[in-house]
Amino acid sequence: MRSFIPPHRTLMGPGPSDISPQVLQALSRPTIGHLDPLFIRMMDELKLLLKYAFQTENEFTIALSAPGSAGMEACIVNLIEVGEKVIVCRNGVFGERMRQNVERCGGIAIVVDDEWGSPVSAHKLQNAVEEHPDAVAVAFVHAETSTGALSDAEALSTIARSKDMLVIVDAVTSLGGVPLKVDEWKLDAVYSGSQKCLSCTPGLSPLTFSSKAIAKIESRQYPVQSWFLDQSLVLGYWSGEGKRAYHHTAPVNSLYALHESLLLLKEEGLELAWKRHADAHQQLKEGLTQLGIDFVVDEKYRLPQLNAVYVPTGIDEALVRQRLLNEYNLEIGAGLGELAGKAWRIGLMGYGARKENIALCLQALKEVIN
Ligand SMILES: *Cc1c(COP(=O)(O)O)cnc(C)c1O
């Protein structure tokens, strides 16, 4: 056996996304102790950078040492107790996972279903909160990566708050790619992932809780059943020099990488990053249209960073993906769930939302499907 040397792929699937050389460099810097004062100072900066990315002043804004799925679980397991009702909006794979999390915590999920490829319907949510005013929270996915649809998080939050329900939001694919304003939209518990529009290595989940969410955790009747994800224990871990208590060993080098990727985002500026994603999407769309390839989602609700498109009739979708990978070192995503075998998902996330990537993808697709 020898060292594993991966090829240089261009990653244009639903994540992980292409990582910039600066972030990879940050990852390979010397490991220091996770209780070293210099590391703690870096974590304090990381919190500030995360607050910027989330557009929040929430004191509890951290990176969970686990992937986006753990961020989802952390929100549900901390905020929901046995017997509590949660309205879960489901318009794709990730909404369904939220429902499973609620039920595994002993919660009662009230599901509001929308078609795959459609955004969450504000009208249906309005009916659900009226029918179940005793629900404690509303949970939804801002950017549904399984279908490429963007929901109106601000409108959904307004409806939830009209009945004093907590707002739990999956922002795994939206953070850094499209506007996400945690404080302005009054979202209570928001989680994301490092490997989508932040273009960092996989395995971390940025997470932020409002004071209302923290109050809910503090008033729990029973301790959170997951020790690792119990955020009341993690609070001390992220509370800066002198106050830092050991909870678990931080993934030191991964946090260097996240710090670097967030610094790049801050240097570019959020607005410009959102615009770069929108422009890249426009450019990809024009090229795909010329190839006769149609989008799954209506133009108004399309995610720029995740383009779900129908596989043209008569084309073997898996064979195309295999050829792109083997002949062009290019990865695009397959359809998930209801869209398996029928769609491709082309990601334009973070560092990957670039002209070179779009040109490569369009050229390769053109050669392979003709
Ligand atoms: C990718 C993704 C997740 C899961 O994140 P992992 O890092 O793969 O665990 C959750 N929700 C959405 C919307 C995602 O796109």
Side-chain angles (χ1 to χ4, degrees):
M1 252 189 251
R2 293 200 207 154
S3 303
F4 175 64
I5 311 288
H8 276 279
R9 307 274 204 216
T10 300
L11 301 179
M12 297 183 74
S17 58
D18 267 359
I19 299 179
S20 83
Q22 282 121 294
V23 172
L24 288 176
Q25 237 172 37
L27 193 72
S28 67
R29 288 180 191 140
T31 304
I32 61 175
H34 73 122
L35 297 173
D36 185 315
L38 293 177
F39 185 72
I40 293 172
R41 216 174 297 164
M42 191 280 298
M43 275 172 89
D44 285 342
E45 279 187 20
L46 190 53
K47 278 174 73 170
L48 292 176
L49 290 165
L50 284 170
K51 285 180 175 183
Y52 171 71
F54 274 126
Q55 294 284 282
T56 183
E57 292 301 322
N58 285 344
E59 195 41 47
F60 187 83
T61 303
I62 65 155
L64 203 69
S65 305
S69 304
M72 178 189 292
E73 190 150 346
C75 288
I76 308 283
V77 86
N78 281 274
L79 293 171
I80 307 306
E81 290 204 73
V82 173
E84 288 182 334
K85 262 192 198 174
V86 182
I87 300 175
V88 180
C89 305
R90 178 171 65 181
N91 62 337
V93 165
F94 295 102
E96 162 57 16
R97 286 193 183 177
M98 283 178 130
R99 183 197 66 77
Q100 291 174 14
N101 271 281
V102 167
E103 299 206 330
R104 285 193 184 214
C105 290
I108 301 160
I110 308 294
V111 179
V112 174
D113 267 314
D114 278 292
E115 298 252 326
W116 281 53
S118 294
V120 172
S121 151
H123 175 70
K124 286 187 192 169
L125 179 61
Q126 181 71 51
N127 289 342
V129 300
E130 269 156 31
E131 216 175 302
H132 303 278
D134 54 333
V136 298
V138 168
F140 62 85
V141 179
H142 186 207
E144 224 336 319
T145 323
S146 61
T147 68
L150 179 68
S151 290
D152 185 343
E154 188 177 18
L156 301 176
S157 166
T158 304
I159 294 166
R161 284 180 303 105
S162 73
K163 301 277 187 232
D164 202 32
M165 295 172 192
L166 287 164
V167 185
I168 302 175
V169 183
D170 178 317
V172 175
T173 286
S174 55
L175 185 67
V178 288
L180 169 67
K181 300 177 179 180
V182 169
D183 286 1
E184 195 180 315
W185 299 348
K186 300 191 166 66
L187 314 176
D188 292 303
V190 186
Y191 61 92
S192 188
S194 49
Q195 80 281 27
K196 312 245 169 153
C197 295
L198 299 181
S199 276
C200 183
T201 45
L204 294 170
S205 177
L207 178 67
T208 186
F209 285 165
S210 70
S211 49
K212 190 173 162 189
I214 297 287
K216 175 81 165 72
I217 294 171
E218 285 172 345
S219 69
R220 285 182 65 97
Q221 205 176 344
Y222 296 103
V224 172
Q225 61 267 42
S226 162
W227 182 86
F228 185 71
L229 294 176
D230 181 346
Q231 296 306 294
S232 63
L233 301 177
V234 176
L235 236 73
Y237 192 69
W238 279 86
S239 50
E241 211 175 334
K243 288 175 278 176
R244 185 86 180 270
Y246 170 66
H247 176 264
H248 66 280
T249 308
V252 171
N253 293 56
S254 296
L255 291 173
Y256 300 163
L258 184 63
H259 182 278
E260 191 69 21
S261 67
L262 289 164
L263 201 56
L264 292 174
L265 179 64
K266 180 135 199 289
E267 282 167 1
E268 180 179 21
L270 268 178
E271 278 82 7
L272 286 179
W274 297 335
K275 183 174 184 305
R276 178 167 50 80
H277 284 90
D279 292 347
H281 162 74
Q282 199 57 31
Q283 198 188 339
L284 179 71
K285 185 186 82 177
E286 280 159 22
L288 290 174
T289 307
Q290 277 173 19
L291 295 177
I293 295 177
D294 294 326
F295 278 76
V296 171
V297 177
D298 194 84
E299 197 153 6
K300 283 189 293 216
Y301 311 114
R302 265 176 217 164
L303 281 173
Q305 66 272 48
L306 197 284
N307 297 267
V309 295
Y310 287 114
V311 175
T313 39
I315 300 280
D316 179 340
E317 81 83 19
L319 185 63
V320 170
R321 280 186 295 110
Q322 194 187 333
R323 285 193 58 197
L324 293 177
L325 194 65
N326 295 336
E327 296 167 29
Y328 299 84
N329 265 317
L330 170 65
E331 180 181 274
I332 66 168
L336 261 190
E338 290 180 18
L339 292 170
K342 295 183 212 154
W344 289 311
R345 291 179 302 151
I346 305 176
L348 292 168
M349 295 181 176
Y351 182 65
R354 278 178 300 144
K355 287 202 166 71
E356 304 92 286
N357 281 17
I358 299 164
L360 168 70
C361 179
L362 290 171
Q363 187 59 32
L365 267 179
K366 188 174 165 184
E367 288 171 11
V368 170
I369 63 182
N370 278 334

